[in-house]
Amino acid sequence: MMPHHIHLQVTAFASFLLALSLIQYIFIISTSAFIPSRQHKYSTILPQHQHSTLRHYDTNFRPQPLRLSTTTPLDLAQSILPSVALILPMGVRNTTARGSGFVIDVPSTTKQVDGNDSIYLLTAAHVALPGYRIQVVFYPNNGESVVSSSATVIDRDVESDLALLQVNVTESQFTATTLPQPLVISNQTKANVGTPAYAMGYPSGGVVGPAMTSGIVCGNALGLVTSASAGILQDSITNETDDSNNSTDKEKTRYVVTDAAMAGGMSGGPLVDGNTGHVLGLNALINMELRALGNYAVSAAECIEFLGTQNLESDGDAGSNNEQPTTYQVVLYNDRFNKRARVQSLLENIAMLNSTVSNQAMMDAHTKGRGVVKEFSGGDAEARKLCDALRKEDLLVEIETVR
């Protein structure tokens, strides 16, 4: 029979591991902000004068691979890191977070860059925080210069943890020869185990500029792996702990598992194939419990499926006679700083809502994470005006298109 004091120690240790299994996933973004819970896709504003098509993910077009003379770590770093950007979300009271993203589409290099051109980046949904002002920073010319610009969230999918950003660029920021090169997302259904892999991004902790870590592809995961599904403490943990049991295989997000170390701030950066320079996945989270096997990237297949859902209008299509009027809605998100009475008062005085409607929008944001403030039909000018006015009062707001 086990002595009483040893039994207590074993029980305490088992309880400690159980707690770890319940709090095991760390999104690799440096932030203390509250992220509202929303489990289905929604789209934010795409201004009518900035409609474009993601050329690199047309069904009839595939990007050319990076032309690398060799694929040494130095070659990969010099070729790919200029296309990896620092993402800085800013919220209430200038609360800032830190993440990464990478370029997937740029203006045609056959013409001069002008104010209507855009760069598109892929990042993690938990980096492009709802209602936050997004700043994107590039380090072209091997880090010798810095280019900073605001970004618009075009689409965000919380379930797969992916977001698409649009950044307007001008000739003063980039020329046709200094634009960052779009990265190529691998068309492999699954990453091959043993493939050399490099995780890239902008880690926090005093690292200046972009960083890169090395490893291999250790495996592919369908849904998140918990201690129960990994075979740890199977006698103490029920299947209810395993989140992967709560959805079908088609609903689970596909991940690439690597031992290339990821750190806070690297969320949204690319996991790159060391042989080809193609993107194997998007850095997403760390499972501390699995140690070296705990670095997860959303798979390339998942990224391509997300980009395939984008149906942005090509130039000249916007405003056509056959186009249905677009409705824009200003959405309020919950934050931990503003008091409910202040939020309701601002909605009444700025959005000109009556007390009933303002209270409903405020309470929806407080209890559900988000609430609709007001809807506008036709152009987006009035929606932008209201959004800017509410942001000046330090509220988390964003514009969405109603499709």
Side-chain angles (χ1 to χ4, degrees):
M1 184 174 179
M2 184 181 297
H4 181 66
H5 70 281
I6 296 179
H7 176 73
L8 289 177
Q9 291 176 347
V10 172
T11 303
F13 182 67
S15 300
F16 171 72
L17 291 180
L18 177 59
L20 282 180
S21 70
L22 297 176
I23 312 173
Q24 59 179 312
Y25 298 109
I26 300 176
F27 286 113
I28 45 180
I29 177 175
S30 177
T31 180
S32 58
F34 166 71
I35 303 176
S37 174
R38 187 155 186 214
Q39 297 303 316
H40 59 278
K41 182 176 296 181
Y42 57 100
S43 301
T44 55
I45 188 170
L46 178 63
Q48 290 182 326
H49 63 281
Q50 293 175 357
H51 287 291
S52 181
T53 299
L54 293 177
R55 293 177 296 277
H56 288 193
Y57 294 92
D58 272 351
T59 55
N60 298 323
F61 185 86
R62 288 292 297 171
Q64 295 298 315
L66 290 172
R67 295 183 177 180
L68 302 174
S69 56
T70 61
T71 54
T72 65
L74 179 60
D75 291 328
L76 286 170
Q78 292 180 340
S79 299
I80 294 176
L81 286 179
S83 299
V84 182
L86 171 63
I87 312 295
L88 298 172
M90 183 175 295
V92 178
R93 297 186 184 178
N94 293 328
T95 303
T96 57
R98 182 187 183 96
S100 305
F102 58 92
V103 176
I104 59 167
D105 194 75
V106 298
S108 171
T109 55
T110 60
K111 63 183 182 67
Q112 194 172 22
V113 178
D114 61 45
N116 291 323
D117 286 320
S118 297
I119 293 176
Y120 289 91
L121 299 96
L122 196 61
T123 188
H126 71 269
V127 171
L129 296 166
Y132 276 53
R133 304 182 300 278
I134 308 295
Q135 198 74 13
V136 175
V137 182
F138 291 97
Y139 290 84
N141 302 320
N142 292 321
E144 295 179 2
S145 58
V146 178
V147 175
S148 179
S149 182
S150 60
T152 301
V153 181
I154 300 302
D155 202 1
R156 187 189 290 112
D157 189 344
V158 177
E159 290 184 354
S160 60
D161 195 18
L162 296 171
L164 178 64
L165 303 181
Q166 180 188 32
V167 179
N168 291 336
V169 295
T170 63
E171 187 178 1
S172 63
Q173 295 173 311
F174 291 106
T175 65
T177 57
T178 61
L179 280 170
Q181 186 175 4
L183 300 188
V184 181
I185 300 179
S186 172
N187 58 7
Q188 292 180 319
T189 304
K190 290 185 178 181
N192 294 321
V193 175
T195 301
Y198 296 91
M200 301 184 182
Y202 289 79
S204 55
V207 178
V208 178
M212 180 175 82
T213 62
S214 64
I216 62 170
V217 172
C218 299
N220 296 275
L222 189 59
L224 297 177
V225 179
T226 67
S227 57
S229 59
I232 303 173
L233 286 179
Q234 288 184 346
D235 294 336
S236 303
I237 302 175
T238 66
N239 287 334
E240 292 177 355
T241 308
D242 187 354
D243 294 335
S244 62
N245 291 333
N246 297 328
S247 59
T248 65
D249 285 350
K250 291 183 179 180
E251 296 172 339
K252 297 174 185 175
T253 301
R254 289 158 290 179
Y255 294 95
V256 177
V257 183
T258 179
D259 61 352
M262 299 177 189
M266 294 180 71
S267 271
L271 180 68
V272 176
D273 186 327
N275 293 325
T276 64
H278 293 182
V279 176
L280 295 170
L282 180 142
N283 303 336
L285 54 89
I286 302 170
N287 182 347
M288 300 295 290
E289 191 176 63
L290 298 182
R291 299 186 181 182
L293 294 177
N295 302 291
Y296 281 67
V298 179
S299 73
E302 200 84 42
C303 295
I304 289 177
E305 284 189 12
F306 169 70
L307 293 173
T309 65
Q310 308 307 315
N311 188 25
L312 308 183
E313 298 171 1
S314 60
D315 294 335
D317 288 343
S320 64
N321 294 330
N322 296 327
E323 184 181 290
Q324 295 296 321
T326 301
T327 299
Y328 301 99
Q329 58 185 18
V330 177
V331 180
L332 171 71
Y333 293 94
N334 187 40
D335 70 80
R336 57 179 180 166
F337 297 107
N338 286 297
K339 301 296 183 182
R340 285 180 282 178
R342 179 177 186 272
V343 173
Q344 183 173 350
S345 176
L346 290 172
L347 295 181
E348 293 176 4
N349 295 326
I350 297 177
M352 305 304 292
L353 304 180
N354 61 43
S355 59
T356 301
V357 177
S358 62
N359 181 264
Q360 183 64 53
M362 179 273 295
M363 288 304 298
D364 284 346
H366 180 68
T367 59
K368 301 176 183 178
R370 66 191 302 275
V372 176
V373 176
K374 212 168 189 177
E375 291 190 351
F376 300 87
S377 297
D380 62 345
E382 291 301 315
R384 282 186 168 276
K385 183 178 178 181
L386 176 58
C387 188
D388 290 342
L390 293 174
R391 280 184 171 175
K392 287 180 180 178
E393 297 296 333
D394 229 6
L395 297 186
L396 290 183
V397 289
E398 196 169 66
I399 305 175
E400 296 181 2
T401 56
V402 180
R403 295 179 178 177

